[in-house]
Amino acid sequence: MKMSIKKEDTVIVLSGKDKGKTGRVMQVMPKSGKVVVEGVNVVTRATRPQQTGSGQMNEGGLVKKEAPIYACKVERVCPKCGKPTRHAVKLGEGKKVRICKKCGAEI
């Protein structure tokens, strides 16, 4: 699946329990069509204490971490105009460049 959202993009959530939140994309999973966004869709996992290779014990307990959400539920935010926007692709100096549809700035 071809994805228009890349790692390190700033996105805004369009639907769901975290609607309206913005965050940076930490991971992109093109096969499943999902992204992991910093501070969005935070879930709590119960973990057991585990022994590391050096003989030390890792503490168990409740760990909060970001879970993946579908990429269709987020939209990229333009760094120049600060609005959620789609992108256009333009050929510039022999390579493709993403352009903001609203203000024309390079993303």
Side-chain angles (χ1 to χ4, degrees), residues 25-76:
V25 176
M26 297 172 14
Q27 185 180 1
V28 178
M29 299 173 228
K31 282 191 176 181
S32 60
K34 295 183 178 187
V35 293
V36 177
V37 182
E38 191 174 45
V40 173
N41 197 23
V42 178
V43 294
T44 305
R45 298 271 186 237
T47 59
R48 292 178 179 231
Q50 291 185 348
Q51 189 171 4
T52 61
S54 60
Q56 295 179 342
M57 291 290 287
N58 283 347
E59 289 185 22
L62 298 176
V63 177
K64 292 183 183 270
K65 67 176 195 173
E66 290 90 359
I69 60 172
Y70 283 105
C72 62
K73 291 188 173 198
V74 298
E75 192 168 25
R76 183 181 309 102

Side-chain angles (χ1 to χ4, degrees), residues 2-4 6 76 87-100 105-107:
K2 181 106 168 118
M3 295 188 64
S4 62
K6 309 259 186 252
R76 183 181 309 102
H87 77 280
V89 178
K90 202 176 206 180
L91 275 173
E93 301 171 18
K95 63 178 184 175
K96 291 181 182 179
V97 179
R98 296 185 298 167
I99 304 291
C100 173
E106 186 177 315
I107 298 176

Side-chain angles (χ1 to χ4, degrees), residues 5 9-15 18-23 37 40 69 71 73-77 82-85:
I5 296 174
D9 280 347
T10 303
V11 295
I12 187 167
V13 180
L14 300 175
S15 64
D18 294 317
K19 180 178 179 177
K21 286 187 181 179
T22 59
V37 182
V40 173
I69 60 172
K73 291 188 173 198
V74 298
E75 192 168 25
R76 183 181 309 102
V77 175
K83 296 178 183 175
T85 182

